[in-house]
Amino acid sequence: MSSTDTSSSSDDSDSSDSLIVVNTPATRVDARRLFDGMPPPVDRIGALPDGVIHYLLSFLPVQEAVRTCVLARRWRHLWKSTTGLRIVGAKGPVSVRDLRKFVDHLLILRERTDLDTVEIGFSKLREEDVPFVNLWIRFALESKVRALSVCHKHANQPFSLVGLPFASRYLTTLGLHGARLKGTFLDFSSCPALDDLKISLCVINVSKIASRSLKHLKMFRCWSSLDQRVRVSAPCLVSFKLDGFSGRSPLLERMPLLETAFLNFGVLPHTPNDICLHYSRSGVFCGANDVKCVNCLYNDGSSNSSVLLGALDNAKHLKLEYPSGMIIFTRDLEWCPTFNNLRNLLLNDYWCVGPDFSALTCILKHCPVLEELTLQLVSEGVRPKVEMKGSYSSMERSTVFSQHLKIVNVKCNVVDEKVAKVLKFLCTLNLRFCFV
């Protein structure tokens, strides 16, 4: 055998011996002794102050928060003083019936401490369950809750929230999802601190949404079956978003502090009452000498003033997207306000109807400090494939556009005949476009 082979054999032998030594009982004992000097495991969460643990427990569903009482003696009563309650299913949305017994006991045993947040969420409820949901809401308000959310997952069957309007000096944030709102439920005159309101997939059968403190209002895919318009009276609004609405368009009252607004009436399952029926059949609005359709003849007392645009005149950023045939803005343009603060404006193809593009021309003439204009010539929810950017072709500027205008964006899927007409109109105003 060569010296090389002997060396190799020796190495293998050493390796084998070392493996045998490691697996001896004495070696295993020695290995355990290495940890004898280490401190015992520390319960770092349990060592936190009670206030911090109360806050952490508020992120758990109430069922899970209560179960922490078995962790240790110190945890036995911590759940009773959490800063938030999530009244939802422990493993996902459940019916109110499944929640009732547990929540009723919870509210009795819980300490009377103030709440920062309360989230109430459920998937099903029966008519006899509604009083319990109202009771939970009242409990939250009496506990000085600051942020309250009520969510019904099956919004196609909205539940009724009735009774006295909200009254709380502490409530700052409110979210309502899948509810039927009646009477004076959205009168927040007794909520002087309310700052943020979100209403989604709700039936708004109230005459007025009123708040003198509200700064942010979002309405997502709501509808109203009332003959009259829902009045929105919130003079301190800073941002307003109306994303999808069916029924009579809301009547907006003055918003002098408004900075950002987004209005999109979209396409909902219910045909909006402010769509010209003649237009939907022929593509032409009811004329002055024609027999007008029911919607165009409708008069709710607001026909001699602006329904929507007049309240938005102080906005700095504005998005206006409406379905074809909507008559409200045709009326509103007769009393079109001057947008003295407007810097950014986005319009959809509703405003770009030839041959004279009167709607587009009218609103642009009333935006004296506009800096950026975007024309979104695609269907709702469709991502544009083509984007063009326009700039002035000479030092001479059109009288239609703001003298501060720097950018004009045109977004579409394809440059078809309709888009070509828009571009041709803009080119007559000394704008030239290039693809981005």
Side-chain angles (χ1 to χ4, degrees), residues 394-423:
S394 66
M395 295 300 294
E396 184 180 354
R397 291 173 174 258
S398 166
T399 57
V400 174
F401 289 116
S402 158
Q403 299 303 301
H404 302 272
L405 189 67
K406 300 175 182 177
I407 302 173
V408 177
N409 301 305
V410 177
K411 300 180 181 182
C412 60
N413 274 335
V414 62
V415 183
D416 55 14
E417 182 180 356
K418 183 176 181 179
V419 174
K421 289 181 179 180
V422 175
L423 294 174

Side-chain angles (χ1 to χ4, degrees), residues 82-372:
T82 59
T83 59
L85 294 179
R86 295 191 65 229
I87 303 176
V88 297
K91 297 181 179 180
V94 295
S95 66
V96 173
R97 183 180 182 181
D98 293 334
L99 289 170
R100 276 171 47 181
K101 185 175 181 180
F102 182 89
V103 174
D104 287 348
H105 282 85
L106 172 77
L107 300 187
I108 293 173
L109 297 174
R110 190 181 183 282
E111 294 180 4
R112 292 297 181 263
T113 55
D114 296 346
L115 288 166
D116 289 332
T117 62
V118 172
E119 178 186 350
I120 302 172
F122 47 88
S123 59
K124 298 178 182 178
L125 83 164
R126 303 165 300 174
E127 191 66 30
E128 57 266 33
D129 295 327
V130 174
F132 290 91
V133 177
N134 282 293
L135 177 64
W136 301 343
I137 293 173
R138 296 302 163 191
F139 175 87
L141 296 177
E142 290 175 3
S143 299
K144 302 179 182 179
V145 66
R146 291 189 291 179
L148 173 63
S149 171
V150 183
C151 179
H152 181 206
K153 300 296 183 180
H154 290 177
N156 57 329
Q157 298 175 342
F159 73 101
S160 296
L161 280 175
V162 294
L164 296 175
F166 275 51
S168 171
R169 294 188 294 115
Y170 307 94
L171 187 67
T172 61
T173 303
L174 175 63
L176 300 171
H177 179 95
R180 185 184 301 276
L181 309 172
K182 301 179 180 180
T184 58
F185 200 84
L186 294 181
D187 179 0
F188 298 106
S189 56
S190 297
C191 295
L194 186 64
D195 180 85
D196 192 330
L197 174 63
K198 296 181 179 67
I199 309 173
S200 58
L201 298 175
C202 288
V203 181
I204 304 179
N205 285 345
V206 300
S207 59
K208 195 172 187 178
I209 301 173
S211 172
R212 298 197 63 82
S213 62
L214 199 63
K215 293 181 180 179
H216 308 282
L217 173 59
K218 181 178 180 180
M219 301 167 65
F220 176 73
R221 294 196 176 183
C222 296
W223 60 95
S224 174
S225 58
L226 297 179
D227 287 334
Q228 67 188 70
R229 301 191 188 281
V230 178
R231 301 180 74 93
V232 178
S233 178
C236 291
L237 274 187
V238 175
S239 68
F240 175 54
K241 186 171 184 179
L242 179 65
D243 192 357
F245 193 88
S246 184
R248 297 289 173 193
S249 303
L251 177 60
L252 306 183
E253 297 185 2
R254 288 277 297 152
M255 302 175 183
L257 304 180
L258 190 69
E259 294 184 2
T260 303
F262 171 48
L263 273 67
N264 177 12
F265 283 81
V267 180
L268 291 178
H270 313 274
T271 302
N273 297 90
D274 289 328
I275 292 290
C276 173
L277 301 179
H278 189 199
Y279 184 95
S280 64
R281 293 190 296 266
S282 63
V284 179
F285 284 104
C286 290
N289 298 322
D290 296 332
V291 176
K292 292 189 176 182
C293 69
V294 175
N295 286 347
C296 287
L297 285 172
Y298 177 79
N299 185 347
D300 60 356
S302 61
S303 59
N304 293 324
S305 61
S306 172
V307 174
L308 296 169
L309 286 182
L312 310 177
D313 59 345
N314 283 304
K316 296 179 181 178
H317 310 280
L318 191 57
K319 294 183 180 181
L320 304 175
E321 299 181 6
Y322 313 110
S324 299
M326 194 166 183
I327 58 178
I328 286 302
F329 289 96
T330 303
R331 294 175 180 172
D332 274 8
L333 288 174
E334 297 180 21
W335 297 275
C336 187
T338 299
F339 299 90
N340 288 314
N341 299 318
L342 191 62
R343 300 294 191 273
N344 302 90
L345 175 63
L346 184 147
L347 303 172
N348 70 335
D349 54 0
Y350 171 90
W351 302 89
C352 302
V353 179
D356 58 354
F357 296 92
S358 57
L360 178 61
T361 302
C362 179
I363 196 166
L364 290 179
K365 284 183 176 180
H366 289 80
C367 300
V369 296
L370 187 67
E371 296 176 359
E372 181 173 356

